[in-house]
Amino acid sequence: MAEPRSTAKGTAAEAVALISNAARARTNGPSAPLRERLIEVGLRGCGLLSIFTTASIILVLAIETFAFFREVTLAQFLFDTQWTPLFVDKHFGIWPLVSGTVLTTGIAILVALPFGLLAAIYLSEFAGQGVRRLLKPALEMLAGIPTIVYGYFALVFMTPILQAVIPGLAGFNSLSAGMIMGIMVIPMISSLAEDALYAVPNSVREGAYALGATRLSTIFRVVVPAAVSGIAASVILAVSRAIGETMIVAIAAGQQPRLTLDPRVPVETMTAYIVQVSMGDTPTGTLEYRSIFVVGATLFVMTFTMNFVSQRLTRRYRSAV
Amino acid sequence: MKQIGRRRGVVIERLFVALCLGAVIVPLGLVLVLLGNVLSDAAQRLDWAFLTSFPSRKAALAGVYPAFVGTLYLGFITAGLALPLGVGAAIYLEEYERRGRLANLIELNIANLAGVPSVIYGLLGLGLFVRVAGMGRSLLSGAATLALLVLPIVIMASREALRTVPLSLREGSYALGATRWQTIRQVVLPMALPGILTGSILAVSRAVGETAPLIIVGALTYVTLLPDGLGSPFTALPIQIFNWVSRPQAEFLLNAAAGIVVLLGTMLALNTTAILLRNRYQKRTY
Amino acid sequence: MRIPTILTCLMTIAFLLAASCGGGGQEGGIIRIDGSSTVFPITEAVAEEFQKENPARVTIGVSGTGGGFKKFCSGETAITGASRPIKPTEIELCGGHGVDYIELPVAYDGIAVVVHPDNDWVDHLTVEELKVLWQPEAQTKVVRWSQVRQGWPDEEIHLFGPGVDSGTFDYFTKAIVGEEHASRGDFTSSEDDNVLVQGISTDGLALGFFGYAYYAENSGKLRLMPVDDGDEGNGAGPIAASPTTVADGTYQPLSRPIFIYVDKGAAERAEVQAFVDFYLRNATVLVEEVGYIALPKRAYDLVSERFTNRVTGSLFAGSGSKVGVTVEDLLGGT
């Protein structure tokens, strides 16, 4: 036991060196005990699991998709306007399912965008801190409600109300499902757009006020344009979410693939088709089984692209501001 | 002239603020009204018998017992699978490999996986667990699929929690001669645990509410048994609700409403536990 | 320290469950049933009543007749419901997997053709008109009511029907179009008849078909269409489906027997045997309760004998559906 006073400086210097070495060390070196290295390998394995998951998704989808395209030509898939893969008069055009998805998603965004954007503007520009702390989580709770509950709402409440208002509205239709889906994705737009608006520096606003602009013109001519990439990112993310939504459309939108833009008739979305066929538990290796993976692959490509674009836009507005 | 213009401007602005506030209140109010309707419908059916009965062709006798038990089992097993793996991955990313190509790749994957629709996870479960791994339409397949689904959430929440632990604590531990894993296990993790648990419980709550992947991986229409092992067939609350909603008889819609209340109640209980945990532990630190 | 406690708790639960895993549960006495949506209500009722007397572990899926056979022939299920007899391809499939099946007719069904209650222009349909509507050539061509019969409104027709895995679909196409599986593809198809009921009962322009029990259960929401088969011999003019007209054979061509198929190997298990015996013993009561038409008592006795003697093979000589047969004739011949 050395005298603390006389070797304090020495000990301190050693300690500093040790800490900086430890802090700098990224992984255990070859001299680290075996147990440490094993644990590190184990943890790395956990990290690699996410890569494994992505790879598995791509593999599972790709294998069945390629098998599908050995029997069906790509031209049939892309250019036919009917989807009747299981019937005598077989058609493999993806467009009826895509149109069902696009129709419901379009209606959803038509509902969610105005509400979400106005809500975001309110929370960012007008609401006080207390109100904001209350309303923002409340809106986010909307996104936390299970989609089966929304599906129930669509079928049991929305459709009868709409049928009273719109004569000739079929029981299964894309309008009802789309509107409920819109309510579900409002938080995606409101939260992310609000983040984008909030991130616009106050100096920009103050500059506009100094030039004599009213609050409204500041918002619409200065703040919103400044946040436009963040807002766009939120909308794209909402679209991606709506495209991937399953239960609301499976319960309320119908199971009839048809190429149409009429919101009053039964349609079928890509996701509903996947659920419909897998409920019947088709065995591996049949065209039926493969068709759900092809549709799934199409869905995956669409949502992946949108998520990617959305991330890029988010990064851009975050770095710009 | 300018006075009138300014007053009109103020009025327009006030109208606009009201409109914006409406944009917040209307959806919330609508959902509250709908939930209220569900509650009143459910009240007609929800009682102890409902919770302990098996499904039946007679709506008045049908209950959620196997579905509720199935959901609880699924929740536990999913947590048992997702927690260790997710926390492990988070530890790796935060403590071992903060920068570098591998870490970036893993992060990129996690971000993408968080945005993949749940149907795709269902297809993954079907292709990988049910078929290739031969686990069949069993509780384990369902839980494994859900675990993969919520893994990104667990990882992201755990990373946040780990980040809240100050670097000085780690440095102090190293200074005392501890190894990296000792530091993690005895210093970092205990401090980050509340955050990790909160995030994990929220993730499990999300898993419990998922329907589509479970339908693709395991759905059965009528189940009179409780799961007795990992390989057992199962049903779950969302699937049972879906079955009842699909039946055209109006009485079954009451069952569906009651099932929804049970599901939302379960999720609410989980979320409240998470928040209580977080609040309790937040008071303890410092 | 909380970590070890909580983590070990989770681990323990997970491992306890793993330990109790009973090899897929087959040996655990689970009676796995799948198959036709038409037969499902009967099987569900039987399972429910059976459970009151015996601690039963029954699961029932609704994959459709075709889907059910695929699982049955791979040995995944012990019993499968079918709304049409087993087909030659399925017999081969079963043979290939070494699965012996016992064919047991359990009820008669009349396929109900229904429209929305507000539909006031259709009074009946002929087999010819149904054929015009449903044959493959109609795909995207016959899309309005006015194309089916002169004088009907020029509105879209929304069609609902069982999907390709459904025995009802197979039988309907054979009886109406003349060839099994020959149908247009652009309609709302679902193996779950409940979905069809829901769709038709909320759509004024809808028309569809499914097993009679689903009409009986929802008669307030649907309007039944009499069908005219053009054959004076078995009842003149349009005949509406009903327990009487199906039982006495005047509702043609859409009356047919529906079956359960039992895996001979699985029948050796005590619980499966008990279940099937219970099924046949209580069929008369439960079939009627559900909305189908019970076989005559003598027929059920013959069917029970068939099961007790474990008679395998199909009464339909493997040729699939035959239009217009009675079960007693078939069984009497055995």
Coordinates of all heavy atoms in Angstrom, one line a residue, chain C residues 37-69:
Chain C
S37 N -67.1 -25.7 -45.2 CA -67.8 -24.7 -44.5 C -69.3 -25.1 -44.4 O -70.0 -24.7 -43.4 CB -67.7 -23.4 -45.2 OG -68.6 -22.5 -44.8
T38 N -69.8 -25.9 -45.4 CA -71.2 -26.3 -45.3 C -71.4 -27.3 -44.1 O -72.4 -27.1 -43.4 CB -71.6 -27.1 -46.6 OG1 -71.2 -26.2 -47.7 CG2 -73.0 -27.4 -46.6
V39 N -70.5 -28.2 -44.0 CA -70.6 -29.2 -42.9 C -70.3 -28.6 -41.5 O -70.7 -29.1 -40.5 CB -69.8 -30.4 -43.2 CG1 -69.9 -31.5 -42.2 CG2 -70.1 -31.0 -44.6
F40 N -69.5 -27.6 -41.5 CA -69.0 -27.0 -40.3 C -70.1 -26.8 -39.2 O -69.8 -27.2 -38.0 CB -68.2 -25.7 -40.6 CG -67.8 -25.0 -39.3 CD1 -66.7 -25.4 -38.6 CD2 -68.6 -23.9 -38.9 CE1 -66.4 -24.7 -37.4 CE2 -68.2 -23.2 -37.7 CZ -67.1 -23.6 -37.0
P41 N -71.2 -26.2 -39.5 CA -72.2 -26.0 -38.4 C -72.6 -27.2 -37.7 O -72.8 -27.2 -36.5 CB -73.4 -25.3 -39.1 CG -72.8 -24.7 -40.4 CD -71.7 -25.7 -40.8
I42 N -72.7 -28.3 -38.5 CA -73.1 -29.6 -37.9 C -72.0 -30.1 -36.9 O -72.3 -30.4 -35.8 CB -73.4 -30.7 -38.9 CG1 -74.4 -30.2 -40.0 CG2 -74.0 -31.9 -38.2 CD1 -74.6 -31.2 -41.1
T43 N -70.8 -30.1 -37.5 CA -69.7 -30.6 -36.7 C -69.5 -29.7 -35.4 O -69.2 -30.2 -34.4 CB -68.4 -30.6 -37.5 OG1 -68.7 -31.2 -38.8 CG2 -67.3 -31.4 -36.9
E44 N -69.7 -28.4 -35.6 CA -69.5 -27.5 -34.4 C -70.6 -27.9 -33.4 O -70.2 -28.0 -32.2 CB -69.7 -26.1 -34.9 CG -69.5 -25.1 -33.8 CD -70.0 -23.7 -34.3 OE1 -70.8 -23.6 -35.1 OE2 -69.4 -22.7 -33.7
A45 N -71.8 -28.1 -33.8 CA -72.9 -28.4 -32.9 C -72.5 -29.7 -32.2 O -72.7 -29.9 -30.9 CB -74.2 -28.5 -33.6
V46 N -72.1 -30.7 -32.9 CA -71.8 -32.0 -32.3 C -70.6 -31.9 -31.3 O -70.7 -32.4 -30.2 CB -71.4 -33.0 -33.5 CG1 -70.8 -34.3 -32.8 CG2 -72.6 -33.4 -34.3
A47 N -69.6 -31.1 -31.7 CA -68.5 -31.0 -30.8 C -68.9 -30.3 -29.5 O -68.4 -30.7 -28.4 CB -67.4 -30.2 -31.5
E48 N -69.8 -29.3 -29.7 CA -70.2 -28.6 -28.5 C -71.0 -29.6 -27.5 O -70.7 -29.6 -26.3 CB -71.1 -27.5 -28.9 CG -71.2 -26.4 -27.8 CD -72.1 -25.3 -28.3 OE1 -72.1 -25.0 -29.5 OE2 -72.8 -24.8 -27.4
E49 N -71.9 -30.3 -28.1 CA -72.7 -31.2 -27.3 C -71.8 -32.3 -26.7 O -72.0 -32.8 -25.6 CB -73.9 -31.8 -28.1 CG -74.8 -30.7 -28.6 CD -75.4 -29.9 -27.4 OE1 -75.8 -30.5 -26.4 OE2 -75.5 -28.7 -27.6
F50 N -70.9 -32.8 -27.6 CA -70.0 -33.9 -27.1 C -69.2 -33.5 -25.9 O -69.0 -34.3 -25.0 CB -69.1 -34.3 -28.3 CG -68.2 -35.4 -28.1 CD1 -68.7 -36.7 -27.9 CD2 -66.8 -35.2 -28.0 CE1 -67.8 -37.8 -27.7 CE2 -66.0 -36.3 -27.8 CZ -66.5 -37.6 -27.6
Q51 N -68.8 -32.2 -26.0 CA -67.9 -31.7 -24.9 C -68.6 -31.7 -23.6 O -68.0 -31.7 -22.5 CB -67.5 -30.3 -25.3 CG -66.2 -29.9 -24.7 CD -65.9 -28.4 -24.9 OE1 -66.5 -27.8 -25.8 NE2 -65.1 -27.9 -24.0
K52 N -70.0 -31.6 -23.6 CA -70.7 -31.5 -22.4 C -70.7 -32.9 -21.6 O -70.8 -32.9 -20.4 CB -72.2 -31.1 -22.6 CG -72.3 -29.7 -23.1 CD -73.8 -29.3 -23.2 CE -73.9 -27.9 -23.9 NZ -75.1 -27.7 -24.5
E53 N -70.5 -33.9 -22.4 CA -70.5 -35.3 -21.8 C -69.1 -35.8 -21.6 O -68.9 -36.6 -20.8 CB -71.3 -36.2 -22.6 CG -72.8 -35.8 -22.8 CD -73.6 -36.8 -23.7 OE1 -73.0 -37.9 -23.9 OE2 -74.7 -36.5 -24.1
N54 N -68.2 -35.4 -22.5 CA -66.9 -35.9 -22.5 C -65.9 -34.8 -22.5 O -66.1 -33.8 -23.2 CB -66.5 -36.8 -23.7 CG -67.6 -37.8 -23.9 OD1 -67.5 -38.9 -23.4 ND2 -68.6 -37.5 -24.8
P55 N -64.8 -34.9 -21.7 CA -63.8 -33.8 -21.8 C -63.1 -33.9 -23.2 O -62.2 -34.7 -23.4 CB -62.8 -34.2 -20.7 CG -63.0 -35.6 -20.4 CD -64.4 -35.9 -20.8
A56 N -63.6 -33.2 -24.1 CA -63.1 -33.3 -25.5 C -62.1 -32.3 -25.8 O -62.1 -31.2 -25.3 CB -64.3 -33.2 -26.5
R57 N -61.2 -32.6 -26.7 CA -60.2 -31.7 -27.2 C -60.4 -31.7 -28.7 O -59.8 -32.5 -29.4 CB -58.8 -32.0 -26.8 CG -58.7 -31.9 -25.2 CD -57.5 -32.7 -24.8 NE -56.3 -32.3 -25.4 CZ -55.6 -31.2 -25.1 NH1 -56.0 -30.4 -24.1 NH2 -54.5 -30.9 -25.7
V58 N -61.2 -30.8 -29.2 CA -61.5 -30.8 -30.6 C -61.1 -29.4 -31.2 O -61.3 -28.4 -30.6 CB -63.0 -30.9 -30.8 CG1 -63.4 -30.9 -32.3 CG2 -63.5 -32.2 -30.1
T59 N -60.5 -29.5 -32.4 CA -60.3 -28.3 -33.2 C -60.9 -28.4 -34.6 O -60.8 -29.5 -35.2 CB -58.8 -27.9 -33.4 OG1 -58.2 -28.9 -34.2 CG2 -58.0 -27.9 -32.0
I60 N -61.5 -27.4 -35.0 CA -62.2 -27.5 -36.3 C -61.7 -26.3 -37.2 O -61.9 -25.1 -36.8 CB -63.7 -27.4 -36.2 CG1 -64.2 -28.4 -35.1 CG2 -64.3 -27.8 -37.6 CD1 -65.7 -28.4 -35.0
G61 N -61.2 -26.6 -38.3 CA -60.8 -25.6 -39.3 C -61.8 -25.5 -40.4 O -62.7 -26.4 -40.6
V62 N -61.8 -24.4 -41.2 CA -62.7 -24.3 -42.3 C -61.9 -24.0 -43.6 O -61.9 -22.9 -44.1 CB -63.7 -23.2 -42.0 CG1 -64.7 -23.1 -43.1 CG2 -64.4 -23.4 -40.7
S63 N -61.3 -25.0 -44.1 CA -60.4 -24.8 -45.3 C -61.2 -25.0 -46.6 O -60.6 -24.9 -47.7 CB -59.2 -25.7 -45.3 OG -58.5 -25.6 -44.1
G64 N -62.4 -25.5 -46.5 CA -63.2 -25.9 -47.7 C -63.0 -27.4 -47.9 O -62.1 -28.0 -47.4
T65 N -63.9 -28.0 -48.7 CA -63.9 -29.4 -48.9 C -62.5 -29.8 -49.5 O -61.9 -30.7 -49.0 CB -65.0 -29.8 -49.9 OG1 -66.2 -29.4 -49.4 CG2 -65.0 -31.3 -50.1
G66 N -62.1 -29.1 -50.6 CA -60.8 -29.4 -51.2 C -59.6 -29.3 -50.3 O -58.8 -30.1 -50.2
G67 N -59.6 -28.1 -49.6 CA -58.5 -27.9 -48.7 C -58.5 -28.9 -47.6 O -57.4 -29.4 -47.1
G68 N -59.7 -29.3 -47.1 CA -59.8 -30.2 -46.0 C -59.2 -31.6 -46.5 O -58.5 -32.3 -45.7
F69 N -59.6 -32.0 -47.7 CA -59.1 -33.3 -48.2 C -57.5 -33.3 -48.3 O -56.9 -34.3 -48.0 CB -59.7 -33.6 -49.6 CG -61.0 -34.4 -49.5 CD1 -62.1 -33.9 -50.1 CD2 -61.0 -35.6 -48.8 CE1 -63.3 -34.6 -50.0 CE2 -62.2 -36.3 -48.7 CZ -63.4 -35.8 -49.3

